[in-house]
Amino acid sequence: MQSLWKILTVAPLFLLLSLQSSASPANDDQSRPSLSNAHTCVGCVLVVSVIEQLAQVHNSTVQASMERLCSYLPEKLFLKTTCYLVIDKFGSDIIKLLSADMNADVVCHTLEFCKQNTGQPLCHLYPLPKETWKFTLQKARQIVKKSPILKYSRSGSDICSLPVLAKICQKIKLAIEQSVPFKDVDSDKYSVFPTLRGYHWRGRDCNDSDESVYPGRRPNNWDVHQDSNCNGIWCINNVNKLCCLGSQPRGIILLGDSAGAHFHISPEWITVSQMSLNSFINLPTALTNELDWPQLSGATGFLDSTVGIKEKSIYLRLWKRNHCNHRDYQNISRNGASSRNLKKFIESLSRNKTLDYPTIVIYAMIGNDVCSGKSDPVPAMTTPEKLYSNVMQTLKHLNSHLPNGSHVILYGLPDGTFLWDNLHNRYHPLGQLNKDVTYAQLYSFLNCLQVSPCHGWMSSNKTLRTLTSERAEQLSNTLKKIAASEKFTNFNLFYMDFAFHEIIQEWQKRGGQPWQLIEPVDGFHPNERNSILLKGILMTSQTLDNQEWTQLTSWIKGNLTCDSRTREWLCCCWRIISGKRCSSSGPKSWERRIRSTPRLNRCLETKAGTEPLRSTHPWGAQGGRGLGKLIPQTLWGLPRHRPKGLFFSSIFAKCLSLNEEHIWTTVQCCVLLGSVTLPLFLK
């Protein structure tokens, strides 16, 4: 997981020499040799493949296809300009080699972006040439024998070594390593800038010059002077006590890896049949977000799904339940994160025990404790004992920072054997045009270069896949044990399995196929559908059959039932006056308002306290006082309670005892009467 974003940062742009070392994600393994060369090799093969396929699809020259690719790139971040510079430098040799029917593997080895070290296997994505590899490579080198670019050293080239860019690169790298916003004037860990760890990752700051103003805090003096928690509820004259008091605001915080950050590479970037001027519009945003899309993640996403999933992220569920939760989200996820290196960036979590609202924290390190790109990944896996130590250290840190009343959910690890079983014989987007690249070939290529996000599961070796799943199960059992045995003063602790089989079943019920739940380009990460469906299962999980878990999930879903007499009364009166469901903002504020309003109090006693709930209309079916006597049933309960197949015109006709043809001349009268009688009722 930690290396894929490096590869794709350079690939679409052909920045094969510059971006690998800047803004790199977590990598706690320094022993693997020539990682920089490996990333460069993958990037080169992808880009040359796209150039070759563009020429094929558009029946054009290689020169024209390279110019077409550059024309698709946006001007932002100098992407288009950089592309043309790269063409000017390497284009002539690429044209010669592709015109000689050399595939992308041969081109990149000839130009020395890919290298086969002594004693190492030959790493290739495409099938080997019919002639021997040695002969083919010698032939290709003869074609570009006099090329001046072969004298150019690929090592030590780093755009960040330029004096004018050194400080900027260092600041960006530091922001990513520490998981804090690049632009944060008041240093409160919240930003008005979207990317570079800005408000795509955590709630948007509404005053970047005041460190006491940020999402998730309790309102300062009930916000009589300013919106101190950026939730948009700025009530004056202490009315904020009625706005949010008793509504139990809660934030959502995710401690995760690249899956939690929603690592995503758009298939349009490498699928030439779909490529157009619009394909790369979101590339600058993706690059400045480390190729992550937290704004669409299942936990903290605040944008609507781009894949047509009706379920919402946990944050949007919390927001829908209670608008006082507006902007209170933090995605503290990082490509390459695991229980081993979480301590390096957990300090970026922003929560004050005394000043802020309680929150829900999801610990979802679901891959990198068993995944690595090493040729022998088993020794590098986290042991159950080490995981226990790492997680306890994290939980102690959370207990010292979270407000009392918070919740922490530990996610188990998935069974990744699903990947090989469902993808290995399918064609990768890069191979769909000519049916020449399967996921099995991609996995083998990445494993050979030792840059695979998970060699253990992305392997043809069934024994290795089984060993990886067994260790994942051991680590999940360790997390389950921690949740069952450990207690903390400031939060309740829960465990939840990574219910991948339930996700598959739900997706198949909707007519989908299991492979559609995985990112198509990297063939490893859960995609947007998977992420959102998983968070939906969290809301209906039967993993824990206890009162605390039921209260937590019900509270998040926002459909609390009226399980007490007081709540029944409140819900009844709320339905009577508006036709809506039971208020999810809690009983206290509504109870005060009802008890302080004589007419509502009378309604409370007569309709909910002593009489059966046979009517949800203000005066029942028999009419009421004053203007109510003129109306057998008012407008307010009708839309909610109309029978199926009954149209509003016939409802209004029945309501006012009129014929259908008279409706449109009298409906305004009905609305007017309703707007008059409701204020009278609330007076």
Short mmCIF file of all heavy atoms in Angstrom, two decimals, residues 37-97:
data_model
loop_
_atom_site.label_atom_id
_atom_site.label_comp_id
_atom_site.label_asym_id
_atom_site.label_seq_id
_atom_site.Cartn_x
_atom_site.Cartn_y
_atom_site.Cartn_z
N ASN A 37 14.26 3.03 -8.30
CA ASN A 37 14.31 2.49 -9.66
C ASN A 37 13.06 1.67 -9.97
O ASN A 37 12.55 1.68 -11.09
CB ASN A 37 15.56 1.63 -9.85
CG ASN A 37 16.83 2.46 -9.86
OD1 ASN A 37 16.79 3.65 -10.14
ND2 ASN A 37 17.95 1.83 -9.54
N ALA A 38 12.57 0.93 -8.97
CA ALA A 38 11.39 0.10 -9.19
C ALA A 38 10.17 0.96 -9.48
O ALA A 38 9.39 0.66 -10.40
CB ALA A 38 11.15 -0.78 -7.97
N HIS A 39 9.98 2.04 -8.73
CA HIS A 39 8.85 2.93 -8.97
C HIS A 39 8.96 3.56 -10.34
O HIS A 39 7.97 3.69 -11.08
CB HIS A 39 8.80 4.02 -7.90
CG HIS A 39 8.60 3.49 -6.52
ND1 HIS A 39 9.21 4.04 -5.42
CD2 HIS A 39 7.88 2.43 -6.07
CE1 HIS A 39 8.87 3.36 -4.34
NE2 HIS A 39 8.06 2.38 -4.71
N THR A 40 10.16 3.98 -10.70
CA THR A 40 10.38 4.57 -12.01
C THR A 40 10.06 3.59 -13.12
O THR A 40 9.47 3.94 -14.14
CB THR A 40 11.84 5.05 -12.13
OG1 THR A 40 12.12 6.00 -11.12
CG2 THR A 40 12.10 5.66 -13.49
N CYS A 41 10.44 2.34 -12.92
CA CYS A 41 10.19 1.30 -13.93
C CYS A 41 8.69 1.12 -14.15
O CYS A 41 8.22 1.08 -15.30
CB CYS A 41 10.83 -0.01 -13.47
SG CYS A 41 10.54 -1.40 -14.59
N VAL A 42 7.92 1.01 -13.08
CA VAL A 42 6.47 0.83 -13.21
C VAL A 42 5.85 2.03 -13.91
O VAL A 42 5.02 1.89 -14.82
CB VAL A 42 5.82 0.61 -11.84
CG1 VAL A 42 4.31 0.50 -11.98
CG2 VAL A 42 6.37 -0.64 -11.18
N GLY A 43 6.26 3.24 -13.50
CA GLY A 43 5.73 4.44 -14.14
C GLY A 43 6.03 4.49 -15.62
O GLY A 43 5.17 4.83 -16.45
N CYS A 44 7.24 4.13 -16.00
CA CYS A 44 7.62 4.14 -17.41
C CYS A 44 6.77 3.16 -18.22
O CYS A 44 6.26 3.49 -19.29
CB CYS A 44 9.10 3.79 -17.54
SG CYS A 44 9.69 3.65 -19.25
N VAL A 45 6.62 1.94 -17.72
CA VAL A 45 5.85 0.93 -18.44
C VAL A 45 4.41 1.37 -18.64
O VAL A 45 3.82 1.19 -19.72
CB VAL A 45 5.92 -0.43 -17.70
CG1 VAL A 45 4.96 -1.43 -18.32
CG2 VAL A 45 7.34 -0.99 -17.73
N LEU A 46 3.81 1.97 -17.61
CA LEU A 46 2.42 2.42 -17.73
C LEU A 46 2.28 3.51 -18.78
O LEU A 46 1.38 3.47 -19.63
CB LEU A 46 1.92 2.93 -16.38
CG LEU A 46 1.71 1.90 -15.27
CD1 LEU A 46 1.22 2.58 -14.00
CD2 LEU A 46 0.74 0.83 -15.70
N VAL A 47 3.18 4.50 -18.75
CA VAL A 47 3.06 5.62 -19.67
C VAL A 47 3.34 5.20 -21.11
O VAL A 47 2.61 5.57 -22.04
CB VAL A 47 4.01 6.76 -19.24
CG1 VAL A 47 4.00 7.87 -20.28
CG2 VAL A 47 3.58 7.31 -17.90
N VAL A 48 4.37 4.43 -21.32
CA VAL A 48 4.68 3.97 -22.68
C VAL A 48 3.52 3.11 -23.21
O VAL A 48 3.18 3.18 -24.40
CB VAL A 48 6.01 3.19 -22.70
CG1 VAL A 48 6.24 2.56 -24.07
CG2 VAL A 48 7.17 4.12 -22.35
N SER A 49 2.90 2.31 -22.36
CA SER A 49 1.76 1.50 -22.78
C SER A 49 0.61 2.38 -23.24
O SER A 49 -0.05 2.11 -24.26
CB SER A 49 1.29 0.60 -21.62
OG SER A 49 2.30 -0.30 -21.24
N VAL A 50 0.35 3.46 -22.49
CA VAL A 50 -0.74 4.37 -22.86
C VAL A 50 -0.43 5.05 -24.20
O VAL A 50 -1.31 5.18 -25.06
CB VAL A 50 -0.94 5.43 -21.75
CG1 VAL A 50 -1.86 6.54 -22.22
CG2 VAL A 50 -1.52 4.77 -20.50
N ILE A 51 0.81 5.48 -24.39
CA ILE A 51 1.20 6.12 -25.66
C ILE A 51 0.99 5.16 -26.83
O ILE A 51 0.42 5.53 -27.87
CB ILE A 51 2.67 6.58 -25.58
CG1 ILE A 51 2.81 7.73 -24.58
CG2 ILE A 51 3.17 7.02 -26.96
CD1 ILE A 51 4.25 8.12 -24.31
N GLU A 52 1.42 3.92 -26.66
CA GLU A 52 1.28 2.93 -27.72
C GLU A 52 -0.18 2.66 -28.03
O GLU A 52 -0.58 2.56 -29.20
CB GLU A 52 1.99 1.64 -27.30
CG GLU A 52 1.99 0.56 -28.36
CD GLU A 52 2.70 -0.71 -27.90
OE1 GLU A 52 2.94 -0.85 -26.68
OE2 GLU A 52 3.02 -1.55 -28.77
N GLN A 53 -1.02 2.55 -27.01
CA GLN A 53 -2.43 2.25 -27.24
C GLN A 53 -3.19 3.44 -27.82
O GLN A 53 -4.13 3.26 -28.59
CB GLN A 53 -3.07 1.78 -25.93
CG GLN A 53 -2.56 0.43 -25.46
CD GLN A 53 -3.25 -0.05 -24.19
OE1 GLN A 53 -4.31 0.43 -23.82
NE2 GLN A 53 -2.63 -1.01 -23.52
N LEU A 54 -2.79 4.66 -27.46
CA LEU A 54 -3.41 5.84 -28.06
C LEU A 54 -3.17 5.87 -29.57
O LEU A 54 -4.08 6.19 -30.35
CB LEU A 54 -2.86 7.11 -27.41
CG LEU A 54 -3.49 7.55 -26.09
CD1 LEU A 54 -2.71 8.72 -25.49
CD2 LEU A 54 -4.95 7.94 -26.27
N ALA A 55 -1.96 5.53 -29.97
CA ALA A 55 -1.66 5.47 -31.40
C ALA A 55 -2.50 4.40 -32.09
O ALA A 55 -2.98 4.59 -33.22
CB ALA A 55 -0.17 5.19 -31.60
N GLN A 56 -2.71 3.30 -31.42
CA GLN A 56 -3.50 2.21 -31.98
C GLN A 56 -4.97 2.58 -32.11
O GLN A 56 -5.60 2.37 -33.16
CB GLN A 56 -3.35 0.97 -31.11
CG GLN A 56 -4.12 -0.24 -31.59
CD GLN A 56 -3.95 -1.43 -30.64
OE1 GLN A 56 -3.11 -1.43 -29.75
NE2 GLN A 56 -4.76 -2.46 -30.85
N VAL A 57 -5.55 3.16 -31.07
CA VAL A 57 -6.98 3.49 -31.06
C VAL A 57 -7.30 4.58 -32.07
O VAL A 57 -8.32 4.52 -32.77
CB VAL A 57 -7.41 3.90 -29.63
CG1 VAL A 57 -8.80 4.53 -29.66
CG2 VAL A 57 -7.41 2.69 -28.71
N HIS A 58 -6.44 5.59 -32.14
CA HIS A 58 -6.72 6.73 -33.03
C HIS A 58 -6.04 6.58 -34.39
O HIS A 58 -6.10 7.53 -35.20
CB HIS A 58 -6.27 8.02 -32.35
CG HIS A 58 -7.03 8.35 -31.09
ND1 HIS A 58 -8.28 8.92 -31.12
CD2 HIS A 58 -6.74 8.14 -29.78
CE1 HIS A 58 -8.72 9.09 -29.88
NE2 HIS A 58 -7.81 8.62 -29.04
N ASN A 59 -5.40 5.42 -34.61
CA ASN A 59 -4.74 5.17 -35.89
C ASN A 59 -3.81 6.32 -36.26
O ASN A 59 -3.86 6.87 -37.38
CB ASN A 59 -5.79 4.95 -36.99
CG ASN A 59 -5.18 4.35 -38.24
OD1 ASN A 59 -4.14 3.69 -38.20
ND2 ASN A 59 -5.81 4.61 -39.38
N SER A 60 -2.99 6.70 -35.32
CA SER A 60 -2.11 7.85 -35.50
C SER A 60 -0.66 7.43 -35.30
O SER A 60 -0.36 6.29 -34.94
CB SER A 60 -2.48 8.96 -34.52
OG SER A 60 -2.25 8.54 -33.18
N THR A 61 0.23 8.36 -35.48
CA THR A 61 1.64 8.11 -35.23
C THR A 61 1.92 8.17 -33.73
O THR A 61 1.11 8.69 -32.95
CB THR A 61 2.51 9.15 -35.94
OG1 THR A 61 2.23 10.45 -35.38
CG2 THR A 61 2.23 9.17 -37.43
N VAL A 62 3.07 7.65 -33.35
CA VAL A 62 3.46 7.71 -31.95
C VAL A 62 3.65 9.16 -31.52
O VAL A 62 3.27 9.54 -30.40
CB VAL A 62 4.75 6.90 -31.72
CG1 VAL A 62 5.23 7.05 -30.28
CG2 VAL A 62 4.53 5.43 -32.06
N GLN A 63 4.20 9.97 -32.39
CA GLN A 63 4.38 11.39 -32.09
C GLN A 63 3.04 12.05 -31.80
O GLN A 63 2.89 12.79 -30.82
CB GLN A 63 5.06 12.08 -33.27
CG GLN A 63 5.22 13.60 -33.13
CD GLN A 63 6.23 14.00 -32.07
OE1 GLN A 63 7.21 13.29 -31.86
NE2 GLN A 63 6.00 15.11 -31.41
N ALA A 64 2.06 11.76 -32.63
CA ALA A 64 0.73 12.35 -32.43
C ALA A 64 0.09 11.85 -31.14
O ALA A 64 -0.60 12.62 -30.44
CB ALA A 64 -0.16 12.03 -33.63
N SER A 65 0.30 10.59 -30.79
CA SER A 65 -0.31 10.06 -29.57
C SER A 65 0.33 10.68 -28.33
O SER A 65 -0.36 10.92 -27.34
CB SER A 65 -0.18 8.53 -29.54
OG SER A 65 1.16 8.14 -29.34
N MET A 66 1.62 10.95 -28.37
CA MET A 66 2.27 11.61 -27.24
C MET A 66 1.73 13.03 -27.08
O MET A 66 1.47 13.49 -25.96
CB MET A 66 3.79 11.63 -27.43
CG MET A 66 4.44 10.27 -27.27
SD MET A 66 6.25 10.32 -27.19
CE MET A 66 6.63 10.87 -28.84
N GLU A 67 1.57 13.73 -28.18
CA GLU A 67 1.02 15.09 -28.11
C GLU A 67 -0.43 15.07 -27.65
O GLU A 67 -0.88 15.96 -26.92
CB GLU A 67 1.15 15.76 -29.48
CG GLU A 67 2.59 16.02 -29.89
CD GLU A 67 2.71 16.61 -31.28
OE1 GLU A 67 1.66 16.70 -31.97
OE2 GLU A 67 3.83 16.99 -31.67
N ARG A 68 -1.16 14.04 -28.07
CA ARG A 68 -2.55 13.91 -27.63
C ARG A 68 -2.61 13.72 -26.11
O ARG A 68 -3.43 14.33 -25.42
CB ARG A 68 -3.22 12.73 -28.33
CG ARG A 68 -4.70 12.56 -27.99
CD ARG A 68 -5.26 11.29 -28.62
NE ARG A 68 -5.15 11.31 -30.06
CZ ARG A 68 -6.06 11.86 -30.86
NH1 ARG A 68 -7.15 12.41 -30.34
NH2 ARG A 68 -5.90 11.83 -32.17
N LEU A 69 -1.73 12.85 -25.58
CA LEU A 69 -1.71 12.62 -24.14
C LEU A 69 -1.41 13.90 -23.39
O LEU A 69 -2.07 14.21 -22.39
CB LEU A 69 -0.66 11.55 -23.80
CG LEU A 69 -0.46 11.24 -22.32
CD1 LEU A 69 -1.75 10.74 -21.68
CD2 LEU A 69 0.65 10.21 -22.13
N CYS A 70 -0.45 14.67 -23.86
CA CYS A 70 -0.11 15.93 -23.18
C CYS A 70 -1.26 16.93 -23.27
O CYS A 70 -1.50 17.70 -22.34
CB CYS A 70 1.15 16.54 -23.79
SG CYS A 70 2.66 15.62 -23.43
N SER A 71 -1.98 16.92 -24.40
CA SER A 71 -3.09 17.87 -24.55
C SER A 71 -4.22 17.58 -23.58
O SER A 71 -5.00 18.47 -23.24
CB SER A 71 -3.62 17.81 -25.99
OG SER A 71 -4.29 16.59 -26.25
N TYR A 72 -4.32 16.32 -23.14
CA TYR A 72 -5.36 15.95 -22.18
C TYR A 72 -5.06 16.47 -20.77
O TYR A 72 -5.97 16.62 -19.95
CB TYR A 72 -5.51 14.43 -22.12
CG TYR A 72 -6.13 13.79 -23.34
CD1 TYR A 72 -5.90 12.45 -23.62
CD2 TYR A 72 -6.94 14.52 -24.21
CE1 TYR A 72 -6.48 11.84 -24.74
CE2 TYR A 72 -7.50 13.92 -25.32
CZ TYR A 72 -7.26 12.58 -25.59
OH TYR A 72 -7.83 11.99 -26.68
N LEU A 73 -3.81 16.70 -20.46
CA LEU A 73 -3.42 17.07 -19.10
C LEU A 73 -3.77 18.52 -18.82
O LEU A 73 -3.67 19.39 -19.70
CB LEU A 73 -1.93 16.85 -18.89
CG LEU A 73 -1.44 15.41 -19.00
CD1 LEU A 73 0.08 15.35 -18.85
CD2 LEU A 73 -2.10 14.53 -17.96
N PRO A 74 -4.17 18.84 -17.59
CA PRO A 74 -4.49 20.23 -17.24
C PRO A 74 -3.24 21.07 -17.06
O PRO A 74 -2.13 20.56 -16.91
CB PRO A 74 -5.25 20.08 -15.91
CG PRO A 74 -4.76 18.79 -15.34
CD PRO A 74 -4.43 17.90 -16.49
N GLU A 75 -3.44 22.39 -17.08
CA GLU A 75 -2.33 23.31 -16.90
C GLU A 75 -1.88 23.38 -15.44
O GLU A 75 -0.72 23.72 -15.16
CB GLU A 75 -2.73 24.71 -17.37
CG GLU A 75 -3.02 24.83 -18.86
CD GLU A 75 -1.74 24.83 -19.69
OE1 GLU A 75 -0.65 24.78 -19.09
OE2 GLU A 75 -1.85 24.88 -20.92
N LYS A 76 -2.77 23.06 -14.52
CA LYS A 76 -2.44 23.17 -13.10
C LYS A 76 -1.22 22.32 -12.76
O LYS A 76 -1.01 21.25 -13.32
CB LYS A 76 -3.63 22.73 -12.24
CG LYS A 76 -4.80 23.68 -12.27
CD LYS A 76 -5.91 23.21 -11.34
CE LYS A 76 -7.08 24.18 -11.34
NZ LYS A 76 -8.18 23.71 -10.45
N LEU A 77 -0.45 22.83 -11.82
CA LEU A 77 0.78 22.17 -11.36
C LEU A 77 1.79 21.98 -12.51
O LEU A 77 2.68 21.15 -12.43
CB LEU A 77 0.48 20.80 -10.73
CG LEU A 77 -0.47 20.79 -9.54
CD1 LEU A 77 -0.62 19.36 -9.02
CD2 LEU A 77 0.00 21.71 -8.44
N PHE A 78 1.60 22.75 -13.59
CA PHE A 78 2.50 22.68 -14.75
C PHE A 78 2.52 21.27 -15.37
O PHE A 78 3.53 20.85 -15.93
CB PHE A 78 3.92 23.11 -14.36
CG PHE A 78 4.01 24.48 -13.77
CD1 PHE A 78 4.14 24.65 -12.41
CD2 PHE A 78 3.94 25.60 -14.58
CE1 PHE A 78 4.21 25.92 -11.86
CE2 PHE A 78 4.01 26.88 -14.04
CZ PHE A 78 4.13 27.04 -12.68
N LEU A 79 1.41 20.56 -15.27
CA LEU A 79 1.38 19.19 -15.77
C LEU A 79 1.53 19.13 -17.29
O LEU A 79 2.29 18.32 -17.82
CB LEU A 79 0.07 18.52 -15.34
CG LEU A 79 -0.16 18.40 -13.83
CD1 LEU A 79 -1.47 17.69 -13.55
CD2 LEU A 79 0.99 17.66 -13.18
N LYS A 80 0.79 19.99 -17.98
CA LYS A 80 0.87 19.98 -19.45
C LYS A 80 2.26 20.39 -19.91
O LYS A 80 2.86 19.76 -20.80
CB LYS A 80 -0.19 20.92 -20.03
CG LYS A 80 -0.34 20.81 -21.54
CD LYS A 80 -1.25 21.91 -22.07
CE LYS A 80 -2.67 21.74 -21.59
NZ LYS A 80 -3.34 20.59 -22.23
N THR A 81 2.80 21.44 -19.29
CA THR A 81 4.14 21.91 -19.67
C THR A 81 5.19 20.84 -19.42
O THR A 81 6.07 20.61 -20.27
CB THR A 81 4.49 23.18 -18.87
OG1 THR A 81 3.51 24.18 -19.12
CG2 THR A 81 5.87 23.70 -19.26
N THR A 82 5.10 20.19 -18.27
CA THR A 82 6.07 19.13 -17.95
C THR A 82 5.99 18.00 -18.95
O THR A 82 7.02 17.45 -19.37
CB THR A 82 5.81 18.60 -16.53
OG1 THR A 82 5.90 19.67 -15.60
CG2 THR A 82 6.82 17.53 -16.16
N CYS A 83 4.78 17.65 -19.36
CA CYS A 83 4.61 16.56 -20.32
C CYS A 83 5.30 16.88 -21.64
O CYS A 83 6.00 16.04 -22.21
CB CYS A 83 3.12 16.30 -20.54
SG CYS A 83 2.75 14.92 -21.64
N TYR A 84 5.13 18.10 -22.12
CA TYR A 84 5.77 18.48 -23.38
C TYR A 84 7.29 18.51 -23.25
O TYR A 84 8.01 18.16 -24.21
CB TYR A 84 5.25 19.84 -23.85
CG TYR A 84 3.88 19.78 -24.49
CD1 TYR A 84 2.80 20.46 -23.95
CD2 TYR A 84 3.67 19.04 -25.65
CE1 TYR A 84 1.54 20.40 -24.53
CE2 TYR A 84 2.42 18.97 -26.25
CZ TYR A 84 1.36 19.65 -25.68
OH TYR A 84 0.12 19.57 -26.26
N LEU A 85 7.79 18.89 -22.09
CA LEU A 85 9.24 18.87 -21.88
C LEU A 85 9.78 17.45 -21.92
O LEU A 85 10.85 17.18 -22.46
CB LEU A 85 9.57 19.53 -20.53
CG LEU A 85 9.39 21.05 -20.46
CD1 LEU A 85 9.63 21.54 -19.03
CD2 LEU A 85 10.35 21.75 -21.42
N VAL A 86 9.02 16.52 -21.33
CA VAL A 86 9.44 15.12 -21.33
C VAL A 86 9.44 14.56 -22.76
O VAL A 86 10.35 13.82 -23.16
CB VAL A 86 8.53 14.29 -20.41
CG1 VAL A 86 8.79 12.81 -20.58
CG2 VAL A 86 8.74 14.70 -18.96
N ILE A 87 8.41 14.93 -23.54
CA ILE A 87 8.35 14.49 -24.93
C ILE A 87 9.57 15.01 -25.71
O ILE A 87 10.19 14.28 -26.50
CB ILE A 87 7.05 14.99 -25.59
CG1 ILE A 87 5.86 14.18 -25.11
CG2 ILE A 87 7.15 14.88 -27.11
CD1 ILE A 87 4.55 14.63 -25.71
N ASP A 88 9.90 16.25 -25.45
CA ASP A 88 11.04 16.85 -26.15
C ASP A 88 12.33 16.10 -25.82
O ASP A 88 13.21 15.96 -26.68
CB ASP A 88 11.16 18.32 -25.76
CG ASP A 88 12.29 19.02 -26.49
OD1 ASP A 88 12.21 19.14 -27.73
OD2 ASP A 88 13.26 19.43 -25.82
N LYS A 89 12.44 15.58 -24.60
CA LYS A 89 13.67 14.92 -24.18
C LYS A 89 13.73 13.46 -24.60
O LYS A 89 14.75 12.97 -25.08
CB LYS A 89 13.82 15.05 -22.66
CG LYS A 89 15.17 14.56 -22.14
CD LYS A 89 15.33 14.90 -20.69
CE LYS A 89 16.74 14.59 -20.22
NZ LYS A 89 17.78 15.40 -20.91
N PHE A 90 12.61 12.73 -24.40
CA PHE A 90 12.63 11.28 -24.62
C PHE A 90 11.81 10.83 -25.83
O PHE A 90 11.85 9.66 -26.21
CB PHE A 90 12.10 10.55 -23.38
CG PHE A 90 12.86 10.84 -22.12
CD1 PHE A 90 12.34 11.68 -21.14
CD2 PHE A 90 14.10 10.27 -21.91
CE1 PHE A 90 13.04 11.94 -19.98
CE2 PHE A 90 14.81 10.52 -20.75
CZ PHE A 90 14.28 11.37 -19.79
N GLY A 91 11.05 11.74 -26.41
CA GLY A 91 10.10 11.36 -27.45
C GLY A 91 10.71 10.69 -28.66
O GLY A 91 10.17 9.70 -29.17
N SER A 92 11.84 11.20 -29.14
CA SER A 92 12.41 10.64 -30.37
C SER A 92 12.80 9.18 -30.20
O SER A 92 12.57 8.35 -31.10
CB SER A 92 13.63 11.47 -30.79
OG SER A 92 14.63 11.44 -29.77
N ASP A 93 13.36 8.81 -29.06
CA ASP A 93 13.75 7.42 -28.83
C ASP A 93 12.53 6.52 -28.63
O ASP A 93 12.52 5.37 -29.07
CB ASP A 93 14.67 7.32 -27.61
CG ASP A 93 16.06 7.84 -27.90
OD1 ASP A 93 16.45 7.84 -29.09
OD2 ASP A 93 16.76 8.24 -26.97
N ILE A 94 11.51 7.04 -27.97
CA ILE A 94 10.29 6.25 -27.79
C ILE A 94 9.65 5.98 -29.14
O ILE A 94 9.17 4.86 -29.42
CB ILE A 94 9.30 6.99 -26.85
CG1 ILE A 94 9.89 7.07 -25.44
CG2 ILE A 94 7.95 6.28 -26.82
CD1 ILE A 94 9.05 7.89 -24.47
N ILE A 95 9.66 6.98 -30.02
CA ILE A 95 9.10 6.81 -31.37
C ILE A 95 9.84 5.71 -32.13
O ILE A 95 9.24 4.82 -32.74
CB ILE A 95 9.16 8.14 -32.14
CG1 ILE A 95 8.19 9.16 -31.52
CG2 ILE A 95 8.82 7.92 -33.62
CD1 ILE A 95 8.32 10.55 -32.10
N LYS A 96 11.16 5.74 -32.07
CA LYS A 96 11.97 4.75 -32.79
C LYS A 96 11.68 3.34 -32.28
O LYS A 96 11.52 2.40 -33.06
CB LYS A 96 13.45 5.07 -32.63
CG LYS A 96 13.90 6.35 -33.30
CD LYS A 96 15.37 6.63 -32.99
CE LYS A 96 15.81 7.97 -33.57
NZ LYS A 96 17.24 8.27 -33.20
N LEU A 97 11.61 3.18 -30.97
CA LEU A 97 11.45 1.85 -30.39
C LEU A 97 10.05 1.29 -30.63
O LEU A 97 9.89 0.11 -30.97
CB LEU A 97 11.77 1.89 -28.90
CG LEU A 97 13.25 2.17 -28.56
CD1 LEU A 97 13.42 2.47 -27.07
CD2 LEU A 97 14.11 0.98 -28.97
#
